[in-house]
Amino acid sequence: MAEAHQAVAFQFTVGPDGIDLHLCHEALRQVYLSGLHSWKKRFIRFKNGVMTGVYPGSPSGFIVVVTSYMSYNKYKQLDPSLGLIAKLGQHVPISRYMSTDTQKIVGGVLVGTGLWVTIIIIMRNVLKCLLSWHGWMHARHGSLPLSTRLWMLLVKVFSGRKPMLYSFQSSLPRLPVPSVKDTCSRYLDSVQPLMDAEKYERMKALTKDFEENLGPRLQWYLKLKSWWSSNYVSDWWEEYVYLRGRGPIMVNSNYYAMDYLYVFPTSIQAARAGNAIHAIMLYRRKLDRAQIKPLMLLHTIPMCSAQYERMFNTSRVPGVDTDTIQHVNDSKHIAVYHKGRFFKVWMFYDGRLLLPREIEQQMERILADKSHPQPGEESLAALTAGDRTPWAKAREAFFSRGKNKQSLDIIEKAAFFVTLDDTEQRLEPDNPVTSLDKYAKSLLHGKCYDRWFDKSMNLIVFKNGTMGLNAEHSWADAPIVGHLWEHVLYMDPNQLGYDEAGHCRGEPHPNLPGPQRLQWDIVPECQETIQSSLTVARALADNVDCHIIPFTDFGKGLIKKCRISPDAFIQMALQLAHFRDKGKFCLTYEASMTRLFREGRTETVRSCTIETCAFVCAMVGDETREQRLKLLKQAAEKHQNMYRLAMTGKGIDRHLFCLYVVSKYLGEDSPFLKEVLSEPWRLSTSQTPVQQVELFDLVKHPEYVSSGGGFGPVADDGYGVSYIIVGENLINFHISSKRSSPETDSHRFGINIKKAMLDMLALFQLENNAN
């Protein structure tokens, strides 16, 4: 155990001549370098905190303002202190310590600093007012009116020159609270096509009663919260939707991200892990230094970056009634799982981050380790895959002291979790359907005991070098993890690369301490709980039916030529496919973001509208092509308008959700809210956005396409559909459902999606041929 010897900084022996002290200089050197690294990190965080705190101000701006102020007063022969020093001198004997000229300089600097701070406050508030206007969303793509261009120019002027990741947080407007009347009206409009006349009239009566009686009272408390908190939705959404759920988070909450479809940079598992882990740690360094550029719509409009704060060093901790999120400021190690054993791997040595070849060296040591799992260790992570309450009780009973607590702390406080999977996954040209479906299921749940589902993210590297991510959902939404994953996929083959043999570039470290095997003492009673959780998790995993469709017939490029939004086109195709699949319409969830507001997360777009249903009925009926095309354009326009409303804080579901929470706090029972929140989402959809398009040149390298990611079904008799629009010619669909439902079949639904996409495109192609 070389690492154990190097961890001891000194030893001593007691003899007749006194105490003989033996110092280990290498250990002391590592301690010194580690401390130096920590202090550098603290200084950088402090500096970034100051720079973010005064943004859009800057040190150069401070010098310009103070110098200009002092020069103006000197030219006009005015007192730069505005008499403040003289007034202060009446109470404090300043003249004893400073000359008159010095007093003027100090006073001028203080007044100039106040002027600089005033300018910053004015710029922030002007920017906040500018960002509260959302008229730019209604402009046609590619043709912005003059008013919008002037508005964008003003936003750029007041946004400063070099923003860091969190620079705009204090300038973002707060999420507005819609009126009860507007929300109720939009809700009725959304459910009308899903109800018969009798049920709709009943719902109208419930809605009217709520709008006139209980609603205004609940709204008052909600507005009070919106004035007091940064965001009136996000904290309750995190707590009640995610952390208070007592069912398994595996499949039901966690989601996954896939590797490249057609590129396999190396088949060496340890090498792929080395590059991927190094790329993730580089991203974390940029995140710690706030060097990641804030995401900007139209390269001008900033989006909230709050969700990035808990990306690393974060774990969900189970509780009997509710979970909590544990986040530590820094972590210098990762936790690795391989064949039933857990390891701690330090990411720093000699005061620096390990290089890819050195990380590969550590992974090779783990892969070569022939030791057996300790009793109960192999399936331990099944606790994170099963129900939350048994896991919380087991954690308190068996992991709150001794070596079990130490090992659990190492996992929960790790930067992230890595699984060196002993299976092989990738797209197989001879068997594309089955191989991709198996790959998706492996990332979604694996063996139910070989991922630590509570960690903010799990990097999974398979035996043949393919990789993927599994992410916990409560701390952030998928686009945040997607931003990291794009960075990793770009860095791996393009910046880091491999040698001719498939290993990471560079040389192994001759003195690098090896990984540390975690130690456990898992008693038989705890092992029974583990097996019970594993049984629950396996039943859930075996019930999931996943299907991946790389749709290559056409993509965004051709859809845009039809002058229709690609997202709206796909949503209409999903509605048509669902109707053909089940013969009925259903309540549909499409995730939209509200990150135009401070600490914004998501809002629901209810895609199944009156216009959508009219279009679908036309497609399965006898209407003419012209009628179908007209109805499609109307449905797409309605969908786009609803998406705009959701993005600008005028959605339906988050408002009703918060009103429901307030009603529970007040002890009020609302039949309207109770019914609204109990309605199942039988079609849950989400688009995975490509956020860093500049990283991937799909024209020159079309093979570098990501297959996106997916999630489990929300309803027992419904579908979960995630899709990613890649480049101009590819759309990848990830479909999930439950095998236990006789109404659903992911493969059948995939066929219907493909047919719907082609049938809809044919409407436009026929129109173009006619023209």
Side-chain angles (χ1 to χ4, degrees), residues 506-522:
E507 298 295 331
H509 197 292
N511 302 316
L512 187 64
Q516 173 188 338
R517 176 81 186 273
L518 301 192
Q519 299 300 312
W520 308 93
D521 181 15
I522 302 175

Side-chain angles (χ1 to χ4, degrees), residues 38-57:
S38 296
W39 279 105
K40 282 182 178 178
K41 202 166 190 178
R42 290 177 188 175
F43 173 75
I44 290 171
R45 282 179 175 168
F46 173 77
K47 183 197 76 171
N48 290 341
V50 172
M51 296 295 288
T52 299
V54 300
Y55 196 83

Side-chain angles (χ1 to χ4, degrees), residues 505-607:
R505 293 170 181 167
E507 298 295 331
H509 197 292
N511 302 316
L512 187 64
Q516 173 188 338
R517 176 81 186 273
L518 301 192
Q519 299 300 312
W520 308 93
D521 181 15
I522 302 175
V523 298
E525 186 180 352
C526 182
Q527 293 181 37
E528 291 177 7
T529 305
I530 293 171
Q531 288 304 312
S532 176
S533 293
L534 183 57
T535 301
V536 170
R538 277 178 172 164
L540 178 59
D542 292 342
N543 195 22
V544 176
D545 180 23
C546 291
H547 183 47
I548 315 299
I549 308 175
F551 184 80
T552 56
D553 294 75
F554 62 90
K556 177 179 68 175
L558 196 53
I559 296 173
K560 287 167 69 176
K561 288 181 180 179
C562 299
R563 296 184 179 180
I564 191 170
S565 158
D567 182 73
F569 185 96
I570 294 170
Q571 285 291 326
M572 298 308 107
L574 291 175
Q575 290 297 320
L576 177 57
H578 186 273
F579 189 86
R580 286 173 172 171
D581 185 82
K582 288 189 174 182
K584 58 184 178 182
F585 297 106
C586 73
L587 192 63
T588 304
Y589 182 112
E590 181 188 6
S592 166
M593 64 88 185
T594 55
R595 289 172 61 198
L596 293 174
F597 304 96
R598 190 170 183 177
E599 296 181 17
R601 289 196 62 163
T602 60
E603 176 58 276
T604 305
V605 179
R606 293 179 169 230
S607 302

Side-chain angles (χ1 to χ4, degrees), residues 385-399:
D387 291 324
R388 304 303 294 172
T389 300
W391 170 208
K393 292 179 177 178
R395 190 177 189 275
E396 176 63 29
F398 308 115
F399 297 91

Side-chain angles (χ1 to χ4, degrees), residues 193-194 574-588 608 613 616-617 620 682-683 717-719 741 743-744 749:
L194 305 174
L574 291 175
Q575 290 297 320
L576 177 57
H578 186 273
F579 189 86
R580 286 173 172 171
D581 185 82
K582 288 189 174 182
K584 58 184 178 182
F585 297 106
C586 73
L587 192 63
T588 304
C608 186
C613 294
V616 171
C617 290
V620 298
R682 290 192 171 89
L683 181 56
D717 56 350
Y719 290 109
S741 173
E743 295 187 28
T744 58
F749 191 46

Side-chain angles (χ1 to χ4, degrees), residues 414-637:
F416 55 95
F417 193 85
V418 177
T419 295
L420 297 176
D421 203 296
D422 56 359
T423 66
E424 296 187 359
Q425 308 290 343
R426 72 172 43 165
L427 170 64
E428 298 173 4
D430 298 335
N431 190 16
V433 176
T434 304
S435 61
L436 276 179
D437 296 353
K438 187 162 67 80
Y439 179 19
K441 279 181 69 67
S442 182
L443 289 176
L444 185 61
H445 55 68
K447 298 174 184 175
C448 304
Y449 60 79
D450 53 354
R451 288 95 170 94
W452 198 270
F453 293 101
D454 285 355
K455 284 299 289 181
S456 56
M457 59 183 162
N458 289 246
L459 173 67
I460 301 148
V461 186
F462 296 98
K463 193 174 180 179
N464 58 349
T466 304
M467 64 179 182
L469 277 184
N470 182 288
E472 201 274 319
H473 208 324
S474 64
W475 63 274
D477 300 309
I480 305 300
V481 175
H483 193 274
L484 160 72
W485 196 234
E486 289 172 9
H487 165 86
V488 174
L489 291 180
Y490 169 74
M491 288 287 294
D492 176 29
N494 296 295
Q495 297 291 316
L496 301 177
Y498 302 89
D499 62 21
E500 293 181 356
H503 292 281
C504 297
R505 293 170 181 167
E507 298 295 331
H509 197 292
N511 302 316
L512 187 64
Q516 173 188 338
R517 176 81 186 273
L518 301 192
Q519 299 300 312
W520 308 93
D521 181 15
I522 302 175
V523 298
E525 186 180 352
C526 182
Q527 293 181 37
E528 291 177 7
T529 305
I530 293 171
Q531 288 304 312
S532 176
S533 293
L534 183 57
T535 301
V536 170
R538 277 178 172 164
L540 178 59
D542 292 342
N543 195 22
V544 176
D545 180 23
C546 291
H547 183 47
I548 315 299
I549 308 175
F551 184 80
T552 56
D553 294 75
F554 62 90
K556 177 179 68 175
L558 196 53
I559 296 173
K560 287 167 69 176
K561 288 181 180 179
C562 299
R563 296 184 179 180
I564 191 170
S565 158
D567 182 73
F569 185 96
I570 294 170
Q571 285 291 326
M572 298 308 107
L574 291 175
Q575 290 297 320
L576 177 57
H578 186 273
F579 189 86
R580 286 173 172 171
D581 185 82
K582 288 189 174 182
K584 58 184 178 182
F585 297 106
C586 73
L587 192 63
T588 304
Y589 182 112
E590 181 188 6
S592 166
M593 64 88 185
T594 55
R595 289 172 61 198
L596 293 174
F597 304 96
R598 190 170 183 177
E599 296 181 17
R601 289 196 62 163
T602 60
E603 176 58 276
T604 305
V605 179
R606 293 179 169 230
S607 302
C608 186
T609 62
I610 296 171
E611 291 80 0
T612 300
C613 294
F615 160 68
V616 171
C617 290
M619 289 296 290
V620 298
D622 299 326
E623 279 75 4
T624 63
R625 182 195 63 80
E626 289 77 10
Q627 290 173 317
R628 291 174 176 176
L629 189 59
K630 180 182 178 182
L631 291 171
L632 171 57
K633 290 180 177 180
Q634 290 176 353
E637 182 56 38

Side-chain angles (χ1 to χ4, degrees), residues 266-307:
T266 181
S267 59
I268 301 175
Q269 185 178 19
R272 194 77 196 280
N275 267 1
I277 293 170
H278 185 75
I280 292 174
M281 293 301 293
L282 288 178
Y283 187 93
R284 191 185 76 156
R285 181 196 292 174
K286 292 177 68 176
L287 190 60
D288 287 340
R289 298 177 178 180
Q291 292 174 341
I292 295 171
K293 294 180 180 179
L295 194 63
M296 313 276 277
L297 295 180
L298 302 178
H299 306 288
T300 304
I301 306 155
M303 296 173 65
C304 180
S305 301
Q307 294 182 57

Side-chain angles (χ1 to χ4, degrees), residues 269 338-343 362-374 377 422 463 515 517:
Q269 185 178 19
H338 175 61
K339 288 190 175 180
R341 294 89 42 84
F342 292 88
F343 298 85
Q362 299 289 55
M363 299 301 111
E364 288 172 339
R365 288 170 170 173
I366 292 174
L367 293 172
D369 190 313
K370 302 300 182 184
S371 61
H372 296 285
Q374 300 160 74
E377 181 183 16
D422 56 359
K463 193 174 180 179
R517 176 81 186 273

